[in-house]
Amino acid sequence: MPKAESAELQQFRSEVANWLQENRPPLPDFPLPQSFTEVGNNDQFEYLRDWQQKVYEAGYLGMAWPAEYGGGGKPQEYQDIVNQEMVKARTPLMVNAVGLSWAGPTILTHGTEEQKKKYIRPILSAEEIWCQGFSEPDHGSDLGNVQTKAVKDESTDEYVLNGRKIWTTLGEQAKHMILLARTNPDAPNKYAGLSFFLAPMNVDGVEVLPIKKITHEYGFNETVFTNARIQADSLMGKEGEGWFIAMTVLTFERGVTGGQAGGNLMEIKNVNDVYEVAKGLFRDGRPALDDPSLRSQLIDLFITERAHRLHNKRMDHAPLLVPERAAGMGLFNKLVMSEDRHKLAEFAVRMQGNAAALYADDTDAVAGGLWQHARLAAFAGSIGGGTTEVQRNIIAERVLGLPKSR
Amino acid sequence: MNFSEAPLRIDCSEELGMLTDAATSYLRDNSSVERARELAETETGFDSEQWQALAEMGWLGLATPEEFGGSGLGYPELAKVTELMGRYLFSSPFFATTLASQALIASNNEDAKMQWLPEISSGAAIATLALMEPHNSWEIGDVRATAEATATGFKLTGEKQFVIDGQNAHLVIASALFNGNPALFLLDADHLGQIEQRAESLTHHARRSTRFTLDGLELPKSAKLADGADAQKILGHVSSLAWLLLAADSAGTANGAIDLTAEYTRVRKQFGKYIGSYQAISHPLVESAILVEDTLSLVYHAASIFDGSLKGESEIAARMAKTRSEEAVNLAGARAIQSHGGMGFTWECHAHLYFKRGQWNSLSFGDAIHQRRHLADLML
Ligand SMILES: Cc1cc2nc3c(=O)[nH]c(=O)nc-3n(C[C@H](O)[C@H](O)[C@H](O)COP(=O)(O)OP(=O)(O)OC[C@H]3O[C@@H](n4cnc5c(N)ncnc54)[C@H](O)[C@@H]3O)c2cc1C
């Protein structure tokens, strides 16, 4: 039988729900991003940063992180409840996503006492925004091949950075970057030459150049390092441990393991949202939902959504898992979630008929053009954080035991 | 109703954990692919010693109340055993017999329960349902056969098709219209002796089913299991359980196909590389695994909330599982054949066994097109 929630947790749940209702910020007069990767201007950023700060101050973020670094020191169940209630209440998202979900847990795992003391609290309070400097113009999926150089200057106890990182989400707002750079070009293999840095962004020689996205918005950047000098203690772990630490980051980023601070990182639209829109639509002079083909497609979306909502519940029960795949179930998350978003948005656009041609800023657009935007934004999920193709490679190799594709 | 936020649950009892271990080892040890192939060539399609073994393990009355000689377990347990039977291509009248005993259990006919359920649980009686007819309809209760009252009982007319394990059965529960509504009749060995069953030739050659005419068959009054609302209830119960169990079997069958394919792609080389390193081979296999995981989540949810009723969550959940299972097993089965190349096209290669079992499961009791149409009417 499913574990019933204790009276204490139930009480907590209703406290959270009430707090969210009473404290959620009023809707702004500009559109809010649906994901942290879509923060395109300062108004959006400040609105979301203030909200995260408020949530943290209320004690609802990082609840399961150690209290000595600014966390709540409580069991994970509490944060899970907050996360669920946030999704349910559809409160605005947590903007410091890179800090909360990958830099933070990685620092807690591999960082020194000093690093934890210095970085964790401002991550939670959104005072210090983080970005991720992994991808480069020439090396994305092949992350192990990145070439940005970090050369130690023993005389000043600094590292000197040269190279280019790209697709840096929140790069303009960020105070720090988790940076993967090459300290030893002569290492025995491409991985062994990499090191991991907690690098400051506001130093000379770091230039952040915004890039316009297919959605017509900004939100990611190219970060150029030209003789940028950072203190030697920005290094996390030892020289040569960069790849190992980067892999930890990716398991957090892809939701393979828990340990993230919590909060909602994107506004999750569900199939029922699309259904509600569909009910008001006409195609070819008839209600869209009279069309057997659309009905059938919508049902498939409901089935997929339900299956994926159920996975977490089934994961609690070993006898209901396929033994050979049980350990690797977490590796499916990223792939499945990003592909689900594609399918949902694609249907939501297709069902509109010709009206689907109107984009988000047209006053006649169905549902404010939200789905036209979502249809494009869905690619952020299937490209960012490791592409769908790369995720399939990983599952093929690690879960199904197939030979390496490279 | 907001289906995106409907509360969902999956239950797993302690017994289910033990049963999973026991069933995995029994089926792995007793149902090799070679054994499944041998049985497919026999007339009955199953091994009667194994049938007795299932009875001894309590599987033939797995979800039958203990007062009728059953094990008194639930639908998740039934689904698990069925899933593993699919995984190991186990052939037996288990599915047919389980559905027939569930028809009895869902009825109010205590005499019939007392007479048949203990015999079924003990392995003495194999039972099945005769619901399908040549007019090719999966709609529940779309029956054309009729039963007319006579002085001593009933006289039947009409045709039955896809009577699963009809040739092996000691009891056939057949549907026929009585006073204009579907009713269910118990055909025992005596009655079955009076009709001539033709064994059907199926694409899934390991399965057994029959076609026969009911014309002229006379039954005593006691042969009526249920009519009116009772019969409707039973038909809903067995149909929705069939969706659930077929989905479970398909999930297992698809897993068998995935394992077979994965194994081959680890050893077969072309162009100097293992074929599993080609993404055109590996990625569809990943997609198959994803669809199987979907199916399993839907199956165990459906089993956890199953109550045999129509029009509510139980029906929706079972139909969803059936729908997704078809996609899973169709892809996994097809990829198994294709990924073996020319070898995959041979009778000797095991791939087609999984493909055909999956196809049979998909077609029985309503395919995905049928299920989605019903789901749309239930949900939209
Ligand atoms: C919205 C968004 C936000 C991002 N934010 C960040 C960020 O903050 N920090 C950061 O460091 N990066 C970020 N990224 C970058 C992202 O991680 C990379 O884009 C991604 O890893 C792919 O690398 P690439 O762009 O170089 O594409 P490539 O690696 O060049 O891939 C091109 C195509 O080839 C395919 N391909 C590549 N290798 C294989 C293979 N082995 N097998 C099969 N197919 C293959 C890919 O799937 C893709 O379809 C972001 C990307 C997006 C879209």
Side-chain angles (χ1 to χ4, degrees), chain B residues 294-310:
Chain B
D294 283 3
T295 304
L296 289 171
S297 288
L298 294 164
V299 162
Y300 289 103
H301 167 63
S304 298
I305 66 162
F306 186 83
D307 63 14
S309 70
L310 296 182

PDB file of all heavy atoms in Angstrom, chain B residues 294-310:
ATOM      1  N   ASP B 294       6.291   2.686 -20.011  1.00  0.00           N
ATOM      2  CA  ASP B 294       4.962   3.330 -19.972  1.00  0.00           C
ATOM      3  C   ASP B 294       3.885   2.285 -19.695  1.00  0.00           C
ATOM      4  O   ASP B 294       3.023   2.462 -18.835  1.00  0.00           O
ATOM      5  CB  ASP B 294       4.612   3.948 -21.342  1.00  0.00           C
ATOM      6  CG  ASP B 294       5.328   5.257 -21.599  1.00  0.00           C
ATOM      7  OD1 ASP B 294       6.142   5.674 -20.766  1.00  0.00           O
ATOM      8  OD2 ASP B 294       5.053   5.858 -22.659  1.00  0.00           O
ATOM      9  N   THR B 295       3.943   1.214 -20.473  1.00  0.00           N
ATOM     10  CA  THR B 295       2.921   0.180 -20.358  1.00  0.00           C
ATOM     11  C   THR B 295       2.880  -0.388 -18.942  1.00  0.00           C
ATOM     12  O   THR B 295       1.807  -0.550 -18.355  1.00  0.00           O
ATOM     13  CB  THR B 295       3.183  -0.955 -21.365  1.00  0.00           C
ATOM     14  OG1 THR B 295       3.253  -0.392 -22.680  1.00  0.00           O
ATOM     15  CG2 THR B 295       2.083  -1.997 -21.329  1.00  0.00           C
ATOM     16  N   LEU B 296       4.061  -0.675 -18.394  1.00  0.00           N
ATOM     17  CA  LEU B 296       4.092  -1.270 -17.055  1.00  0.00           C
ATOM     18  C   LEU B 296       3.487  -0.327 -16.022  1.00  0.00           C
ATOM     19  O   LEU B 296       2.742  -0.761 -15.140  1.00  0.00           O
ATOM     20  CB  LEU B 296       5.529  -1.634 -16.678  1.00  0.00           C
ATOM     21  CG  LEU B 296       6.106  -2.829 -17.442  1.00  0.00           C
ATOM     22  CD1 LEU B 296       7.594  -2.975 -17.176  1.00  0.00           C
ATOM     23  CD2 LEU B 296       5.359  -4.120 -17.068  1.00  0.00           C
ATOM     24  N   SER B 297       3.790   0.951 -16.127  1.00  0.00           N
ATOM     25  CA  SER B 297       3.206   1.891 -15.167  1.00  0.00           C
ATOM     26  C   SER B 297       1.688   1.916 -15.300  1.00  0.00           C
ATOM     27  O   SER B 297       0.958   1.927 -14.305  1.00  0.00           O
ATOM     28  CB  SER B 297       3.788   3.290 -15.373  1.00  0.00           C
ATOM     29  OG  SER B 297       5.128   3.329 -14.921  1.00  0.00           O
ATOM     30  N   LEU B 298       1.215   1.908 -16.545  1.00  0.00           N
ATOM     31  CA  LEU B 298      -0.233   1.932 -16.768  1.00  0.00           C
ATOM     32  C   LEU B 298      -0.878   0.627 -16.306  1.00  0.00           C
ATOM     33  O   LEU B 298      -1.974   0.632 -15.732  1.00  0.00           O
ATOM     34  CB  LEU B 298      -0.521   2.184 -18.255  1.00  0.00           C
ATOM     35  CG  LEU B 298      -0.110   3.570 -18.767  1.00  0.00           C
ATOM     36  CD1 LEU B 298      -0.070   3.600 -20.295  1.00  0.00           C
ATOM     37  CD2 LEU B 298      -1.066   4.651 -18.248  1.00  0.00           C
ATOM     38  N   VAL B 299      -0.208  -0.486 -16.541  1.00  0.00           N
ATOM     39  CA  VAL B 299      -0.759  -1.789 -16.153  1.00  0.00           C
ATOM     40  C   VAL B 299      -0.910  -1.873 -14.630  1.00  0.00           C
ATOM     41  O   VAL B 299      -1.970  -2.252 -14.124  1.00  0.00           O
ATOM     42  CB  VAL B 299       0.142  -2.943 -16.648  1.00  0.00           C
ATOM     43  CG1 VAL B 299      -0.145  -4.239 -15.901  1.00  0.00           C
ATOM     44  CG2 VAL B 299      -0.048  -3.160 -18.152  1.00  0.00           C
ATOM     45  N   TYR B 300       0.158  -1.518 -13.900  1.00  0.00           N
ATOM     46  CA  TYR B 300       0.071  -1.714 -12.451  1.00  0.00           C
ATOM     47  C   TYR B 300      -0.814  -0.673 -11.780  1.00  0.00           C
ATOM     48  O   TYR B 300      -1.387  -0.942 -10.723  1.00  0.00           O
ATOM     49  CB  TYR B 300       1.477  -1.850 -11.838  1.00  0.00           C
ATOM     50  CG  TYR B 300       2.049  -3.184 -12.262  1.00  0.00           C
ATOM     51  CD1 TYR B 300       3.004  -3.274 -13.265  1.00  0.00           C
ATOM     52  CD2 TYR B 300       1.519  -4.365 -11.744  1.00  0.00           C
ATOM     53  CE1 TYR B 300       3.450  -4.517 -13.714  1.00  0.00           C
ATOM     54  CE2 TYR B 300       1.952  -5.604 -12.188  1.00  0.00           C
ATOM     55  CZ  TYR B 300       2.919  -5.675 -13.176  1.00  0.00           C
ATOM     56  OH  TYR B 300       3.330  -6.901 -13.623  1.00  0.00           O
ATOM     57  N   HIS B 301      -0.966   0.455 -12.424  1.00  0.00           N
ATOM     58  CA  HIS B 301      -1.978   1.396 -11.929  1.00  0.00           C
ATOM     59  C   HIS B 301      -3.372   0.813 -12.166  1.00  0.00           C
ATOM     60  O   HIS B 301      -4.196   0.744 -11.250  1.00  0.00           O
ATOM     61  CB  HIS B 301      -1.836   2.736 -12.643  1.00  0.00           C
ATOM     62  CG  HIS B 301      -2.995   3.659 -12.447  1.00  0.00           C
ATOM     63  ND1 HIS B 301      -3.346   4.155 -11.207  1.00  0.00           N
ATOM     64  CD2 HIS B 301      -3.915   4.147 -13.314  1.00  0.00           C
ATOM     65  CE1 HIS B 301      -4.413   4.922 -11.329  1.00  0.00           C
ATOM     66  NE2 HIS B 301      -4.777   4.929 -12.590  1.00  0.00           N
ATOM     67  N   ALA B 302      -3.606   0.368 -13.390  1.00  0.00           N
ATOM     68  CA  ALA B 302      -4.922  -0.189 -13.726  1.00  0.00           C
ATOM     69  C   ALA B 302      -5.247  -1.374 -12.820  1.00  0.00           C
ATOM     70  O   ALA B 302      -6.380  -1.520 -12.341  1.00  0.00           O
ATOM     71  CB  ALA B 302      -4.962  -0.600 -15.198  1.00  0.00           C
ATOM     72  N   ALA B 303      -4.240  -2.203 -12.549  1.00  0.00           N
ATOM     73  CA  ALA B 303      -4.472  -3.370 -11.695  1.00  0.00           C
ATOM     74  C   ALA B 303      -4.760  -2.942 -10.261  1.00  0.00           C
ATOM     75  O   ALA B 303      -5.565  -3.553  -9.561  1.00  0.00           O
ATOM     76  CB  ALA B 303      -3.260  -4.300 -11.745  1.00  0.00           C
ATOM     77  N   SER B 304      -4.103  -1.871  -9.816  1.00  0.00           N
ATOM     78  CA  SER B 304      -4.286  -1.416  -8.439  1.00  0.00           C
ATOM     79  C   SER B 304      -5.693  -0.879  -8.194  1.00  0.00           C
ATOM     80  O   SER B 304      -6.212  -0.978  -7.092  1.00  0.00           O
ATOM     81  CB  SER B 304      -3.267  -0.322  -8.096  1.00  0.00           C
ATOM     82  OG  SER B 304      -1.951  -0.810  -8.196  1.00  0.00           O
ATOM     83  N   ILE B 305      -6.286  -0.281  -9.218  1.00  0.00           N
ATOM     84  CA  ILE B 305      -7.608   0.335  -9.010  1.00  0.00           C
ATOM     85  C   ILE B 305      -8.721  -0.480  -9.667  1.00  0.00           C
ATOM     86  O   ILE B 305      -9.876  -0.067  -9.675  1.00  0.00           O
ATOM     87  CB  ILE B 305      -7.661   1.781  -9.552  1.00  0.00           C
ATOM     88  CG1 ILE B 305      -7.529   1.813 -11.077  1.00  0.00           C
ATOM     89  CG2 ILE B 305      -6.594   2.645  -8.903  1.00  0.00           C
ATOM     90  CD1 ILE B 305      -7.998   3.130 -11.674  1.00  0.00           C
ATOM     91  N   PHE B 306      -8.386  -1.655 -10.206  1.00  0.00           N
ATOM     92  CA  PHE B 306      -9.381  -2.410 -10.974  1.00  0.00           C
ATOM     93  C   PHE B 306     -10.577  -2.809 -10.111  1.00  0.00           C
ATOM     94  O   PHE B 306     -10.424  -3.376  -9.032  1.00  0.00           O
ATOM     95  CB  PHE B 306      -8.741  -3.682 -11.544  1.00  0.00           C
ATOM     96  CG  PHE B 306      -9.653  -4.446 -12.453  1.00  0.00           C
ATOM     97  CD1 PHE B 306      -9.791  -4.090 -13.786  1.00  0.00           C
ATOM     98  CD2 PHE B 306     -10.412  -5.505 -11.969  1.00  0.00           C
ATOM     99  CE1 PHE B 306     -10.662  -4.777 -14.630  1.00  0.00           C
ATOM    100  CE2 PHE B 306     -11.280  -6.205 -12.803  1.00  0.00           C
ATOM    101  CZ  PHE B 306     -11.396  -5.836 -14.132  1.00  0.00           C
ATOM    102  N   ASP B 307     -11.773  -2.498 -10.598  1.00  0.00           N
ATOM    103  CA  ASP B 307     -12.978  -2.986  -9.909  1.00  0.00           C
ATOM    104  C   ASP B 307     -13.974  -3.597 -10.888  1.00  0.00           C
ATOM    105  O   ASP B 307     -15.099  -3.917 -10.513  1.00  0.00           O
ATOM    106  CB  ASP B 307     -13.623  -1.875  -9.078  1.00  0.00           C
ATOM    107  CG  ASP B 307     -14.118  -0.719  -9.934  1.00  0.00           C
ATOM    108  OD1 ASP B 307     -14.208  -0.881 -11.178  1.00  0.00           O
ATOM    109  OD2 ASP B 307     -14.437   0.338  -9.371  1.00  0.00           O
ATOM    110  N   GLY B 308     -13.568  -3.739 -12.139  1.00  0.00           N
ATOM    111  CA  GLY B 308     -14.420  -4.413 -13.107  1.00  0.00           C
ATOM    112  C   GLY B 308     -15.568  -3.570 -13.631  1.00  0.00           C
ATOM    113  O   GLY B 308     -16.324  -4.022 -14.494  1.00  0.00           O
ATOM    114  N   SER B 309     -15.687  -2.344 -13.146  1.00  0.00           N
ATOM    115  CA  SER B 309     -16.832  -1.536 -13.571  1.00  0.00           C
ATOM    116  C   SER B 309     -16.517  -0.796 -14.869  1.00  0.00           C
ATOM    117  O   SER B 309     -15.361  -0.563 -15.206  1.00  0.00           O
ATOM    118  CB  SER B 309     -17.179  -0.525 -12.481  1.00  0.00           C
ATOM    119  OG  SER B 309     -16.164   0.450 -12.405  1.00  0.00           O
ATOM    120  N   LEU B 310     -17.570  -0.427 -15.565  1.00  0.00           N
ATOM    121  CA  LEU B 310     -17.408   0.368 -16.781  1.00  0.00           C
ATOM    122  C   LEU B 310     -17.763   1.820 -16.475  1.00  0.00           C
ATOM    123  O   LEU B 310     -18.337   2.124 -15.444  1.00  0.00           O
ATOM    124  CB  LEU B 310     -18.289  -0.176 -17.901  1.00  0.00           C
ATOM    125  CG  LEU B 310     -17.932  -1.591 -18.379  1.00  0.00           C
ATOM    126  CD1 LEU B 310     -18.845  -2.020 -19.520  1.00  0.00           C
ATOM    127  CD2 LEU B 310     -16.475  -1.675 -18.831  1.00  0.00           C
TER     128      LEU B 310
END
